[in-house]
Amino acid sequence: MTSPTHVAIIMDGNGRWAKSRGLPRVAGHRAGVEALRNLVRAMPDFGISVLTVYAFSSENWSRPKSEVTDLMGLLKLFIRRDLAELHRNGVRVRIIGDRATLQPDIGGLLEEAENLTRENTNLTLVIAFNYGSRDEIVRAARKLAEAAVRGEILPQQIEMDDITRSLDTADIPDPDLVIRTSGELRLSNFLLWQAAYSELVFVPCYWPDFGSDHLAEALRDYAGRERRFGGLSPEEAVAPAIVR
Ligand code: FPP
């Protein structure tokens, strides 16, 4: 199997990483940003075209206000500090998630990052921020319903592709591989539509400890998988069918 085009990561375990060191949770998130920075710098070694990271979920608003403020602040800091380097390295930044409910200054920064890096082709870094898959699907359904009300599409004409094109990820290929750190075994409302046939790899270490070696191991695991997309393996496909 070839290497994946698109790897998506649920960066989990920042809080537990901090707790295990007797540090406040924000220290875990800061270390998480550092781990992300290092991984993006190492991406040219891996031949991956798209890296998506889950930075803030639409459910994360229910965390204490101070932690929400810390996470917003870290995103702003990340964009301000790292944008020039990302641009220099040919990284195209894309943001998915609901922008409408974000503070205008954050919305502006996200737009600036996307506009500046729009033409870059070395790597697409997709940051899922204020993102929830169900929310994204609801927003896509609304867009299609509005198009139907305007008479631009008939309800019976709506196909899977129309939904795919109405999602925040419209022009981004589906993830081939989804990695989750910290040993939790779930998708937590991340890319539910897009990950229908993704391979899943769960890594026990906390996100701040995740590095190139862990990614290389996840890619080896992926390389050993057989992707069938609901079909048969090549051997089974050519074997004579058993007629009962
Ligand atoms: C999960 O750890 C992680 C998050 C909710 C946020 C991930 C965010 C970062 C890595 C930093 C922000 C990223 C950018 C791009 C600025 P958790 O807090 O749920 O950990 P726990 O399960 O151990 O409590």
Side-chain angles (χ1 to χ4, degrees):
M1 184 189 278
T2 52
S3 37
T5 299
H6 180 178
V7 174
I9 306 185
I10 303 175
M11 309 182 288
D12 194 14
N14 295 348
R16 279 164 285 166
W17 181 92
K19 192 173 176 201
S20 70
R21 287 165 172 72
L23 297 170
R25 292 179 61 83
V26 66
H29 295 314
R30 274 194 215 114
V33 175
E34 190 55 27
L36 175 61
R37 183 176 288 128
N38 290 335
L39 195 68
V40 172
R41 283 179 181 154
M43 286 315 274
D45 300 339
F46 290 100
I48 290 164
S49 306
V50 185
L51 175 69
T52 298
V53 291
Y54 204 4
F56 189 89
S57 82
S58 33
E59 287 70 38
N60 285 155
W61 292 106
S62 64
R63 293 190 176 201
K65 197 166 175 284
S66 60
E67 185 168 347
V68 170
T69 308
D70 288 338
L71 285 166
M72 296 289 156
L74 280 172
L75 176 76
K76 285 197 252 185
L77 204 64
F78 178 71
I79 303 273
R80 287 203 187 109
R81 274 206 194 147
D82 291 65
L83 185 58
E85 180 183 335
L86 292 168
H87 187 41
R88 222 176 20 252
N89 293 333
V91 177
R92 179 170 75 127
V93 177
R94 277 287 312 271
I95 316 291
I96 56 169
D98 184 12
R99 308 253 180 123
T101 50
L102 287 177
Q103 287 164 3
D105 62 332
I106 295 190
L109 268 180
L110 300 182
E111 216 174 292
E112 182 192 328
E114 287 188 324
N115 288 340
L116 178 72
T117 61
R118 192 171 299 280
E119 307 295 330
N120 293 341
T121 53
N122 287 348
L123 170 74
T124 299
L125 173 65
V126 183
I127 302 176
F129 200 85
N130 197 21
Y131 176 86
S133 206
R134 288 180 170 183
D135 173 68
E136 180 191 31
I137 292 168
V138 168
R139 287 186 287 106
R142 282 192 195 129
K143 281 183 213 163
L144 289 170
E146 283 159 10
V149 167
R150 288 193 301 269
E152 292 165 9
I153 190 166
L154 291 170
Q156 62 270 28
Q157 287 174 336
I158 293 174
E159 304 285 353
M160 279 188 216
D161 272 355
D162 296 301
I163 295 181
T164 300
R165 276 196 297 268
S166 304
L167 296 170
D168 298 346
T169 51
D171 55 342
I172 299 166
D174 285 343
D176 303 290
L177 170 64
V178 177
I179 299 171
R180 182 174 187 144
T181 58
S182 94
E184 305 289 345
L185 308 180
R186 54 181 175 269
L187 285 177
S188 299
N189 205 12
F190 185 51
L191 302 177
L192 299 183
W193 177 275
Q194 299 87 339
Y197 289 103
S198 302
E199 295 297 324
L200 309 180
V201 169
F202 297 98
V203 180
C205 79
Y206 297 141
W207 171 250
D209 292 327
F210 188 92
S212 302
D213 292 352
H214 295 94
L215 179 61
E217 199 178 322
L219 295 180
R220 277 195 293 277
D221 191 339
Y222 172 87
R225 306 277 180 96
E226 186 193 13
R227 301 188 74 193
R228 296 200 298 272
F229 298 93
L232 299 176
S233 64
E235 308 86 66
E236 286 167 323
V238 294
I242 298 168
V243 182
R244 290 180 191 277

